[in-house]
């Protein structure tokens, strides 16, 4: 059956997801429109296609045991010089993200994998572009803030065109309303209602 490239992430809700995606494109990141704005839980991972049912069952089990938690973004950071990335910082909710990604990457589960760097929750706004453009992204979003309630996560697949498409959403527990929808985000299933309210402030 071949292989597929999957990722698991927490969506940044609208209108902030699309706004950050447009800003990322404006900084010159050509991949921006193929990557819904997110906090990574599992980075791009190639798996056998016939393992998808097992992976979906595992994610459903993790989500069923999960509980909503607050997320807040504020200011910028960078992984340079180790990695050519500028990001918006996760200043609240990092512990929840770290716990969740550990459960999703359970060594006994179907998404077990080693990471190239220690896990650090963040929202990428520039990757692999010129130093000048990354400096611009770093300064332009220095006062950026957004907050919302994270009530789930989603599984994505990267197509041969490089675009990441949502395969399925996984709301926490039995009473969660769903994960944040994102305008302009490709999906192969119906989007759930937006989760929580978000506020944002930029100077």
């Amino acid at each position: 059956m071949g292989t597929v490239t999957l990722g698991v992430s927490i969506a940044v809700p609208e209108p902030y997801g699309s706004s950050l995606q447009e800003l990322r494109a404006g900084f010159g990141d050509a991949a921006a429109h193929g990557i819904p704005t997110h906090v990574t839980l599992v980075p791009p991972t190639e798996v056998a296609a016939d393992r998808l049912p097992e992976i979906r069952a595992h994610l459903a089990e993790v989500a069923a045991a999960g509980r909503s938690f607050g997320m807040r973004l504020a200011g910028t950071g960078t992984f340079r010089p180790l990695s050519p990335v500028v990001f918006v910082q996760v200043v609240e909710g990092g512990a929840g993200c770290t716990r969740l990604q550990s459960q999703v990457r359970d060594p006994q589960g179907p998404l077990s994998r080693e990471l190239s760097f220690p896990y650090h929750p963040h929202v990428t706004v520039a990757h692999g572009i010129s130093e000048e453009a990354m400096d611009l992204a770093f300064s332009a979003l220095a006062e950026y803030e957004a907050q919302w309630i994270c009530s789930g996560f989603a599984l994505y697949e990267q197509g041969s065109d490089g675009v990441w498409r949502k395969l399925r959403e996984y709301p926490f527990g039995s009473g969660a309303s769903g994960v944040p929808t994102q305008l302009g985000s490709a999906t192969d299933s119906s989007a759930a209602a937006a989760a929580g309210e978000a506020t944002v402030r930029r100077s």
Side-chain angles (χ1 to χ4, degrees):
M1 291 185 65
T3 63
V4 292
T5 300
L6 303 177
V8 181
S9 64
I10 295 169
V12 175
E14 293 302 345
Y16 316 112
S18 289
S19 174
L20 287 172
Q21 191 177 43
E22 290 300 323
L23 286 167
R24 180 172 177 174
F27 297 136
D29 191 330
H33 286 127
I35 307 173
T37 308
H38 65 283
V39 178
T40 297
L41 297 176
V42 176
T45 302
E46 187 174 325
V47 301
D50 61 5
R51 300 200 71 187
L52 269 172
E54 179 186 3
I55 289 168
R56 285 172 165 159
H58 169 65
L59 294 178
E61 183 177 353
V62 171
R67 294 294 179 269
S68 299
F69 57 91
M71 293 279 291
R72 185 164 73 89
L73 310 179
T76 49
T78 182
F79 293 133
R80 294 182 289 174
L82 292 178
S83 182
V85 172
V86 171
F87 56 86
V88 175
Q89 299 188 73
V90 175
V91 296
E92 290 182 15
C97 294
T98 300
R99 180 175 60 255
L100 190 56
Q101 65 86 32
S102 178
Q103 293 167 343
V104 172
R105 291 192 306 106
D106 185 331
Q108 305 305 314
L111 285 174
S112 174
R113 58 158 292 172
E114 295 296 323
L115 300 179
S116 300
F117 300 99
Y119 181 73
H120 184 280
H122 64 281
V123 177
T124 297
V125 291
H127 181 205
I129 56 179
S130 70
E131 289 294 323
E132 294 77 11
M134 284 193 286
D135 288 343
L136 175 60
F138 187 89
S139 60
L141 293 170
E143 301 301 320
Y144 187 92
E145 290 192 20
Q147 61 184 22
W148 72 95
I149 300 299
C150 172
S151 56
F153 56 88
L155 173 66
Y156 294 81
E157 179 181 353
Q158 187 179 38
S160 58
D161 56 1
V163 175
W164 286 91
R165 295 176 174 86
K166 189 189 301 176
L167 293 181
R168 185 169 297 182
E169 299 175 347
Y170 295 89
F172 294 141
S174 59
S177 60
V179 303
T181 55
Q182 290 181 299
L183 299 175
S185 172
T187 179
D188 69 352
S189 61
S190 298
E197 296 180 355
T199 60
V200 65
R201 182 175 70 253
R202 288 203 309 273
S203 62

